[in-house]
Amino acid sequence: MSDVVEKTLTALPSLLSLDSQPGSAKLSSTSKLGNLIRGITELTSKHEEEKLIQRELTSIKEQMSSPSTSMRQMKELMVRAIYCEMLGYEASFTYIHAIKLAQQGTALEKRVGYLAVSLFLNESHELLLLLVNTVLKDLQSTNLIEVCMALTVVSQMFPKDMIPAILPLVEEKLNHPKEIIRRKAVLALYKFYQIAPNQVQHIHNKFRKALCDKDPGVMTASLHIYLQMIQENPEGYKDLTASFVTILKQVVGGKLPMDFNYHSVPAPWLQIQLLRILSLLGKNDQSTSEIMYDVLDESLRRAEMNHNITYAILYECVKCIYTIHPKSELLEKAAKCIGNFVLSQKINLKYLGLKALTYVVQQDPKLALQHQMTIIECLDHPDLIIKRETLELLFRITNAQNVTVIVEKMLEFLQLNEDDYTTTDLVGKVAELAEKYPYNEWFIETMNTVFSVGGDMMQPDIPNGFLKLLSEGFDSVEEDRKLRQFAVDSYISLLQGETGKLPQRFLQVISWVLGEYAHLRTDLEPATVLRLLSKLLDSKNTSSETKSWVLIAMTKLCDGRTGISAAQEVSETYSSSLDTVLRQRAQELQHLSQDSELRDRVLPRDTGLEPPEVDSSLSFLDGFVSEALAAGAAPYKPPHQRQEELAQAKTLSLEPYSLSLPISMSSCSITDRQSPTLLSISSGLSGDSMDLSHKGGSTTLKLDGVKRVWGRDGYLAQRESVEEAAKVEVPSPLHSASEQGEAEGAHSQNPTPTPTPEPEQEKQQLASSLFVGLGSQSSVCLMGKAEPNPQRFRRKAKSPSLSSGPSEPTSNSIISSPSTVDNLLCNNLLDSNITSGASQDPPPELSQDLSTANGTCDVEFTDRDEEEREPSLIKDNGVIAHEDKDRPKDLCLSSHLPAELSGCSCSEIIPLCSHQSLHLSACHVQRDEFLVLVVFIYNSSDSDVQQILLELESDQLQVSCVCESPVQEVSGDSVAVCQYTLTVRRPSVHVEVAGVVSYTSQTTESTQFSYKLPLTSFIRPLTVSTEEYGTMWLAFSNDTKQNLTLISEDQESLTASLNVLKRKLQLHVVEIIGMEGIVACRVLQDQPCLMHCRVHAGSLAVWLRSPVPDLPDCLIYHCQRALQEH
Amino acid sequence: MIKAILIFNNHGKPRLIRFYQYFAEDMQQQIIRETFHLVSKRDDNVCNFLEGGSLIGGSDYKLIYRHYATLYFVFCVDSSESELGILDLIQVFVETLDKCFENVCELDLIFHMDKVHYILQEVVMGGMVLETNMNEIVAQVEVQNRMEKSEGGLSAAPARAVSAVKNMNLPEIPRNINIGDINIKVPSLSPF
C-alpha cells in the first residue's frame, strides 16, 4: 500500500504536467482521477480549474486516440471524462469512444461505456444510431447483466425511429424467468410508450399480463404504465378498477412478503401508486368510486401515524377521497386526517396539510374555518414556501368580504419575495382577485402595486385585462367615470414623481389610460399631461415600444394651441428616428395634431367596444391594383406561392439559403393566392403597418391602417387572447374601505368567550377578516357571529372542464356488463383467497397466496378465455334472440366487442349480409391512432362452419387485420369476432370497405358485402400551436375555399360555429382572434388538414389546406353538413 | 416522473448529476447552479420541498431535497410523484450507499462516481422508481461487483490507491456525514 501512496504523493508536484506521460501505465488511472480531484479541490479560482481541466481533457483525448490504449485503460479514461463533463466541461470527443467501449468491451468496460453514453448523449443525438446494434446484441446475450445494462440504457434513451428494431426483443423479455429482467423490460416499454405511443399500441395485452405478474415487483413497474395511460384515457381502463382495488386490498392487508415492508409499512410506494390510479379512475364516476370505498377506508385505518411514509400514504388517500365521487363517511375521516397534517409540528407535513386543504377547500370551504388559527400562524411562518402555500390556500377562499385583506397579505409577501417565478405567479393571482372585485380606489391602487412589483415579468394578459376592464366599465356610468378619474389622478401623481424605476409595462398602461381618459378631469390641462408624457420620451430608460405607446397617447391628447406646439416638437424629433414604428407614430402625431376633425374621426372618444367597420376585402385598393396591373406590374403572389415557384425553378435543393419568409399568421391571412386583387386583411391580427404605408400613398389608406392597429379597440383586441375575456362579475354591494373598517370594528366588539392576550386578539381579528363569509356554522366560526347568508366561494374563470366531450361510448352499459361479471367472479375468488389466508400464515405461503390471486386476474384478462366463457352467457339470451331479431342480437353482439375497445366510442352494429346460417355484422370503433372495424360472424345453425375466409379491401383505405390468425371456424350458435384497423389512403367523402366471405358448411360458399362509413370517423384533432400552424400552412399546397353558413348571427357566431365543428368533427380549435379562427385536424393516419375561418358578410369564409390532394374538399363537405345539421 | 437527480456539496460542487430528461450541457449547469442557489439558502428547519423556478418543465416541477452533513441530495420531479414518497426514496438511496460503501462519506461519492451511478441505476431507471427495497438494490449491485472481482485481481490495486488518497487530508471535506438517524463517522486519521 505504501508503495502506491508514495507514487501518488510523488505525482503531486507533477500535477500540472499530467499530460507528460501519455499512456503511461505507471500510475493507475484511478489515482489519476484522484489526482485530478485533488488538484481541483486545491485550486482557488474558477480560472485555474478551467485550465487544469482543459489540460486533463487534452491528455484524455491524446490517450484515447492512441491505438495502443487498451479497453481497460479506455474505461478509466472514460470515468475521468465523465467527471469532467459533470463539472460542465464539454468532452464531446469521448462520445464516440464511449459507444465503442459499450460495443467492444467486456462486461465491465461495457458498463462504463453504457453509463457514459447515457450521461453524454440524448435521444436525438446522431451517434446514438451506432448504439442500436450493440443494444440489439446485448439484448440477445446470455449474460443477464448485459441484458440488464442494455435495458437500462434503452429506458434512458433510444432513437425513436429504431424502436421497431428492438421492440420484439424487449417484448420477449417480459416472459423472462428472472423478475429483474421482466421489471426492467416493463420500464423500457414504458419509455417506448412515452416517446412513441403508437408503436406499442399492439402490446396492451402484454401490459395486462405484466400487471398480473406473479412477482409484485413487475406488477409495481407496470403501474407506471397504467398511471400514464389512465391519465390519458380513464374511460378505457374502468374494467381494471376491481383488479387495482384487490391488489391494494392485499397490500394493505399485509399479504406481501415481509421483504416489501419499509419501516414495517407494506410496500408504501406501491400503495401510493395504486391510490393515484384509483383517484384517476374514480373521478366523476360514481359506480367506479363505489368499488373503492372499502379499500380506502381500510387504508386510512391501517396507516397508523408512525413514520413519514405512512403520511405519504395518508396524503394520497385523502386526495383520492376528495377526487372521487364523495362519500360523506370517508370525507369526514379524510377531513380529520387533514387536520392531523395541518396541526403537525413537522414542517413537511404542515406543508402537505396546507396543500391538501388548498385542494379541498374548493369543495368544502368550511374545512378552512376549522383550521383558521393554524392558517394565520402559517402566514407568519419563517419558511417562505409555507407562506406561499398559505397564500395559495387563501386565494382559493377569497370572497367579496375578505378580498382586501387577502390581497394585502399577498402584496406583503411579494415585497419579501426574491424568486422571479413566484413573483410572476403571485402577481397574476393578485390581479385575478383584484379584477374580480373592482372596488374603485382599492382596485386601482392594487393594480398599481401589481404593475410596479410584477414589472416586466408578469403575464402580458394582466395589463391587457386591466385596460379592457377599465374601458368596458361596469354597470353604472357614474362609477365608471369615477374609477377612470381616479386612475388618471393616481397616474398623474406617479408621473410627477420619479419615473425611472417604473416598469415599461406599467408606463404603457399609464400612457394608454392618460391618452383615453385624461379629458375626464376637466381641471387638468392637456398641456400638463403632454409635458409629463414627453418627459417619459426623454428618459433613457424608456424602451422604444413604450415610446410608441406614449406617442399614441399624445396623439389622442394634443388639443389646443399649447398641445399642438408640444406635439409638433415631439414629432419632429421622432420623425427622423431610426425605429420605423416610432417614425410612423411621429408622422401620425404630426398629421393628426394639425387636423383635429380628422383626429376625432380616427380616434373617437368614448366609443363603446364595437369593432370598427373594416373593409376587410380592401376593395378601395382595387382601382390602384388594376391600374398597376394595367401598367404592366406583375400580379401579386403570396409568399408561399413564391416559395413553391422558387423551389420548382431550382433543381438543386438550396434549402438553407431559401427565402426566409414570414410565418406569422398575419402573412397568412393577408395572402390569397387565387385572386390577387381580393386581399383579405384581418382586423384582429397585427398587420404590419409598414407594409401598408408603402403600398399606397394616400393619407386615408395609411390612417385606416393606423386606426386598425392602434385604435382603442383594434390594438387591444389583438393582444387579448381568445380566452373568454374575463367576464366581469357584477361588483357586489360596494364596500368602501371605511365600511370595511366599521364591519371589522363591529366584529371585534363581539364578546369573545375567553379574554385573550393582545397578540392572540390580533390574530383573531385577522382571522375574522380572512375567513369572513366562508361558512354558516357559527359554532366553528371563531368570531361567534356568522354571516347571514354564507356565500360559497367559487372560482369563476376556470370552470371544471369535462375531459372528453364527443366520444361518449354509446353502448357502454352493454359492453361493461360482461366485465362486471368478470369482476364479480374475480372478486369472489380473491375474497375467498383472502379469507383463507389467515394473517398468522408464514410469509412464503403468503406470497404464494398473492400469486394465485394474481393468477385469477390473469384468467380474467386473456381474450381466449373470454371467448370460451361467452357461449354460456349467450345461451341465456339466445332464446330471446330468436323471438326478436334485431335489438337483442345487437345486444349480445356488442357484448362480444373486445375488451380493449370497450371504452372507446363505437358505432351502431349493422348487419352486413346473411347467407344461410352465417350472419355478418360490423361496427367501427374509434381509437386515437386508427379506426378499428369489428366484424362479427354469427353462426345460427347447430353445425360448425369451417374454413371461413374473410377478405376485405378498399380503394380509399388501408386495411390490415389485427389478429395474427384470422378466424377459421365458428361452431354452432356462437359468434366470432375479427378486427381490422383502417387508415385512410386516399380521402373521399364516404369510404367503403368491400369484402368477400367464403366458408364451408356442407359445401363451399361465398358471399359479398360492403360497409360504408363517413370520413368523419377518421378525423382526429391535431394539437398544434399557432406558430406551428403558421409553418404548416405555408408548407401545404392543396387548398379549397368556400363560404359556409354561420349557425347564428350574433357576436359569438364564430366561436359557436367552431365549437359545433369541434364537437361534431373532432377538430382542434387552435386559436380564435376576433373574427378569425384557425382550426387543425388530422385524418388517420397523420394526414394533417388546416382550416382558416373568417366571419365575413354574415357567412363563414373557410379556407382549408392540406398536403393531401382531395382532403380539403372532403372535409369541407363534412363541415358544411355539420353546420347545416346543427 | 423524476426529471433529474442532483447531488452537490455545501459549496455547490456537483458530485453526481443525472438527468432523465434531455437538457443541453449549459442548461444542465445552469439548473445545477440555480438549484444549489435555491436549496443552499434554506435553513435546516424548513420544509424539504421547493416549488417554483421554471427551469425544468415549467410550473409542473418541484424540488425535493435532503441535506446530509456536507451533501445535498436533490430530486427534481413533476407532479406525478409523491412528495413524501420521494423524500423517503432519497433516504433509501443514501442508506444503500452507506451499505455499499460501508460508512459512506463525500469522498466515496467523488472517487466512485461510477459506482454511485450503478447503484442509482438500480433505484431509478429512466426517471421511474425501479426498486425501493434496500436489500434488493444491494443484491443487484453485488451481483455486478462479483462480476468485477471475477474479471481480474488488478482492480484491488486501484482500490488501495483510492483508500490511500481518501485518507489524505483534503481541505473543506468534513469527516462525517449524517444520514438521518444513522450517524456515520469516517475514522479520524492523522494528517500527513
Side-chain angles (χ1 to χ4, degrees), chain A residues 685-816:
Chain A
L685 297 170
S686 68
D688 193 349
S689 50
M690 282 310 294
D691 236 358
L692 288 165
S693 59
H694 67 68
K695 243 175 233 154
S698 78
T699 340
T700 38
L701 167 65
K702 196 165 36 170
L703 292 176
D704 201 292
V706 172
K707 166 64 184 148
R708 183 175 54 77
V709 182
W710 291 102
R712 157 184 175 149
D713 316 303
Y715 191 79
L716 287 168
Q718 153 222 324
R719 289 285 216 92
E720 271 143 16
S721 52
V722 203
E723 299 164 30
E724 300 263 315
K727 278 170 270 158
V728 187
E729 232 170 48
V730 184
S732 43
L734 281 181
H735 276 232
S736 70
S738 62
E739 265 177 292
Q740 184 83 14
E742 270 170 41
E744 265 172 44
H747 278 313
S748 50
Q749 276 160 23
N750 277 338
T752 33
T754 45
T756 40
E758 194 69 355
E760 272 303 290
Q761 217 155 16
E762 256 172 46
K763 275 184 184 170
Q764 291 203 353
Q765 264 189 28
L766 182 58
S768 74
S769 46
L770 279 176
F771 297 96
V772 63
L774 259 188
S776 53
Q777 247 99 347
S778 50
S779 55
V780 210
C781 183
L782 269 181
M783 285 324 299
K785 189 185 165 195
E787 280 297 307
N789 8 330
Q791 175 188 0
R792 289 255 165 131
F793 173 66
R794 203 157 273 195
R795 285 195 71 190
K796 169 199 61 163
K798 288 156 200 161
S799 60
S801 58
L802 290 172
S803 50
S804 62
S807 61
E808 195 61 35
T810 45
S811 51
N812 198 8
S813 58
I814 308 169
I815 299 165
S816 62

Side-chain angles (χ1 to χ4, degrees), chain A residues 1 4-5 8-9 28 30-31 33-34 37-38 40-42 49 72 75 79 82-83 85-90 95 106-109 111-112 115 118-119 121-123 143 145 148 151-152 155-156 179-180 183-185 187-188 190-191 194 224 227 231 259-260 262-263 269 272 276 307-309 311-312 315-316 341 347-349 351-352 355 381-386 388-389 418-419 421-422, chain B residues 1 13-22 25 28-29 32 38 41-42 45-54 58-60 62 66 79-89 91-92 95 110-111 113-115 117-118 121-122 125-133 136 140-141 143-145 147-149 151-152 154-155 157-158 160-165 167-168 170-173 192:
Chain A
M1 167 179 153
V4 185
V5 174
T8 322
L9 283 177
S28 90
T30 320
S31 68
L33 173 68
I37 294 163
R38 294 196 34 206
I40 292 169
T41 17
E42 278 165 10
E49 179 187 301
R72 164 174 294 281
K75 177 187 125 194
V79 175
I82 293 177
Y83 190 82
E85 278 256 337
M86 180 179 77
L87 292 179
Y89 297 91
E90 199 200 293
Y95 297 173
T106 58
L108 264 188
E109 290 141 20
R111 186 162 71 151
V112 179
L115 176 65
S118 69
L119 287 171
L121 303 185
N122 63 67
E123 257 146 41
N143 186 342
I145 292 177
C148 274
L151 286 174
T152 306
S155 76
Q156 173 74 18
E179 65 97 1
I180 181 78
R183 199 179 325 166
K184 291 196 171 179
L187 284 186
Y190 173 72
K191 178 74 180 179
Q194 274 184 318
H224 289 301
L227 185 63
Q231 216 155 19
D259 288 2
F260 288 89
Y262 174 79
H263 288 265
W269 285 278
I272 292 171
R276 293 209 158 196
H307 189 266
N308 256 343
I309 201 75
Y311 285 105
Y315 179 67
E316 292 306 326
F341 273 89
I347 187 109
N348 284 340
L349 300 186
Y351 168 83
L352 288 179
K355 262 204 137 40
H381 202 279
D383 188 354
L384 282 186
I385 299 288
I386 297 277
R388 223 193 82 187
E389 214 46 58
E418 291 163 5
D419 173 24
Y421 173 79
T422 318
Chain B
M1 183 190 166
K13 275 256 175 274
R15 292 305 178 215
L16 180 119
I17 304 299
R18 188 59 147 134
F19 281 89
Y20 294 101
Q21 187 187 339
Y22 171 67
E25 181 81 4
Q28 289 190 6
Q29 292 299 322
I32 297 168
L38 280 174
K41 65 179 179 197
R42 292 177 63 78
N45 57 353
V46 297
C47 68
N48 297 49
F49 315 115
L50 260 172
E51 270 173 88
S54 41
S59 55
D60 186 12
K62 210 176 292 174
R66 268 178 185 269
S79 61
S80 70
E81 298 291 339
S82 146
E83 290 91 346
L84 287 174
I86 292 290
L87 207 58
D88 269 74
L89 187 70
Q91 179 73 16
V92 167
E95 279 180 31
I110 304 171
F111 287 103
M113 188 188 46
D114 47 340
K115 287 215 180 92
H117 268 296
Y118 302 140
Q121 272 176 5
E122 297 303 322
M125 182 168 150
M128 286 295 138
V129 180
L130 175 70
E131 178 62 74
T132 51
N133 182 349
E136 194 67 25
Q140 285 303 325
V141 174
V143 170
Q144 294 180 10
N145 287 350
M147 170 183 82
E148 182 165 14
K149 289 220 172 79
E151 274 219 354
L154 267 171
S155 53
R160 258 190 291 144
V162 171
S163 65
V165 176
N167 295 346
M168 280 187 291
L170 288 179
E172 72 173 39
I173 299 173
F192 283 94

Side-chain angles (χ1 to χ4, degrees), chain B residues 7 23 27 32-33 64 80 128 153 178-179:
Chain B
I7 305 177
F23 291 100
M27 189 61 188
I32 297 168
R33 272 196 306 275
I64 297 166
S80 70
M128 286 295 138
N178 186 16
I179 304 176

Side-chain angles (χ1 to χ4, degrees), chain A residues 411-671:
Chain A
L411 292 178
E412 249 170 52
F413 178 82
L414 274 175
Q415 307 290 351
L416 288 176
N417 180 56
E418 291 163 5
D419 173 24
D420 286 357
Y421 173 79
T422 318
T423 308
T424 320
D425 184 54
L426 212 56
V427 156
K429 290 198 168 125
V430 173
E432 196 182 323
L433 288 182
E435 280 171 19
K436 244 189 273 183
Y437 309 102
Y439 307 139
N440 275 337
E441 290 87 354
W442 175 79
F443 174 54
I444 300 288
E445 270 164 11
T446 309
M447 288 312 280
N448 283 354
T449 329
V450 165
F451 288 135
S452 40
V453 174
D456 296 321
M457 282 183 303
M458 68 184 157
Q459 302 293 332
D461 55 339
I462 298 175
N464 291 343
F466 172 71
L467 294 187
K468 194 170 157 102
L469 251 162
L470 209 57
S471 59
E472 275 177 346
F474 310 107
D475 280 355
S476 103
V477 181
E478 184 54 26
E479 292 292 346
D480 291 349
R481 208 176 53 81
K482 262 199 206 154
L483 189 67
R484 289 167 190 161
Q485 278 183 359
F486 187 78
V488 171
D489 282 350
S490 89
Y491 293 156
I492 290 287
S493 62
L494 265 173
L495 285 189
Q496 277 159 349
E498 177 56 53
T499 58
K501 290 230 170 67
L502 294 179
Q504 299 301 315
R505 286 255 176 75
F506 195 15
L507 289 178
Q508 289 163 13
V509 168
I510 290 177
S511 30
W512 189 85
V513 171
L514 288 182
E516 286 293 317
Y517 299 119
H519 67 88
L520 290 179
R521 281 239 86 98
T522 36
D523 48 335
L524 203 66
E525 276 291 308
T528 329
V529 185
L530 279 177
R531 196 157 32 79
L532 285 171
L533 286 174
S534 65
K535 210 172 81 189
L536 281 182
L537 283 179
D538 298 334
S539 162
K540 269 205 299 289
N541 297 329
T542 316
S543 74
S544 59
E545 196 197 343
T546 313
K547 279 183 186 163
S548 64
W549 283 75
V550 174
L551 282 174
I552 298 165
M554 291 177 89
T555 317
K556 291 174 192 161
L557 284 173
C558 53
D559 224 359
R561 215 157 5 93
T562 46
I564 290 170
S565 67
Q568 290 298 341
E569 197 179 309
V570 170
S571 64
E572 255 166 48
T573 326
Y574 284 95
S575 55
S576 57
S577 163
L578 282 178
D579 190 316
T580 44
V581 178
L582 277 186
R583 211 152 70 203
Q584 166 88 11
R585 302 286 156 252
Q587 284 292 331
E588 288 162 24
L589 176 58
Q590 189 169 18
H591 285 284
L592 293 181
S593 62
Q594 280 163 356
D595 189 344
S596 65
E597 199 182 310
L598 180 65
R599 199 195 60 214
D600 288 344
R601 232 175 40 183
V602 173
L603 300 167
R605 269 180 192 166
D606 289 327
T607 47
L609 266 191
E610 297 83 39
E613 286 292 316
V614 173
D615 184 359
S616 61
S617 64
L618 293 190
S619 54
F620 55 87
L621 273 177
D622 283 353
F624 176 74
V625 172
S626 54
E627 224 169 79
L629 284 175
Y636 175 73
K637 283 176 196 160
H640 63 88
Q641 197 182 353
R642 269 178 274 160
Q643 195 180 32
E644 272 164 32
E645 283 172 8
L646 204 70
Q648 281 162 5
K650 304 260 161 64
T651 42
L652 282 175
S653 163
L654 293 171
E655 218 173 339
Y657 307 103
S658 70
L659 282 177
S660 68
L661 292 163
I663 40 173
S664 67
M665 266 308 296
S666 58
S667 67
C668 299
S669 57
I670 298 175
T671 55

Side-chain angles (χ1 to χ4, degrees), chain A residues 333-361:
Chain A
K333 286 182 185 173
K336 221 164 104 193
C337 213
I338 293 179
N340 284 334
F341 273 89
V342 177
L343 296 173
S344 167
Q345 286 308 306
K346 290 186 185 156
I347 187 109
N348 284 340
L349 300 186
K350 211 178 248 319
Y351 168 83
L352 288 179
L354 286 171
K355 262 204 137 40
L357 262 187
T358 314
Y359 186 75
V360 162
V361 282

Side-chain angles (χ1 to χ4, degrees), chain A residues 22-139:
Chain A
S24 142
K26 256 194 247 164
L27 280 172
S28 90
S29 296
T30 320
S31 68
K32 272 195 187 165
L33 173 68
N35 275 340
L36 171 66
I37 294 163
R38 294 196 34 206
I40 292 169
T41 17
E42 278 165 10
L43 295 178
T44 46
S45 74
K46 184 83 187 157
H47 180 65
E48 279 177 72
E49 179 187 301
E50 236 161 71
K51 267 204 317 214
L52 181 70
I53 301 268
Q54 285 314 334
R55 230 188 330 259
E56 175 77 10
L57 285 175
T58 329
S59 138
I60 294 175
K61 190 174 190 175
E62 213 167 280
Q63 293 180 52
M64 275 189 173
S65 48
S66 141
S68 63
T69 313
S70 72
M71 276 295 156
R72 164 174 294 281
Q73 285 165 324
M74 195 63 103
K75 177 187 125 194
E76 277 134 16
L77 287 169
M78 200 53 72
V79 175
R80 267 154 70 192
I82 293 177
Y83 190 82
C84 294
E85 278 256 337
M86 180 179 77
L87 292 179
Y89 297 91
E90 199 200 293
S92 51
F93 63 88
T94 59
Y95 297 173
I96 186 74
H97 293 286
I99 288 179
K100 242 199 294 190
L101 199 61
Q103 207 163 25
Q104 297 165 357
T106 58
L108 264 188
E109 290 141 20
K110 212 180 244 305
R111 186 162 71 151
V112 179
Y114 272 136
L115 176 65
V117 167
S118 69
L119 287 171
F120 292 161
L121 303 185
N122 63 67
E123 257 146 41
S124 48
H125 201 288
E126 50 192 2
L127 281 180
L128 209 53
L129 284 177
L130 298 177
L131 196 73
V132 174
N133 255 330
T134 317
V135 169
L136 210 55
K137 205 180 75 199
D138 285 336
L139 280 177

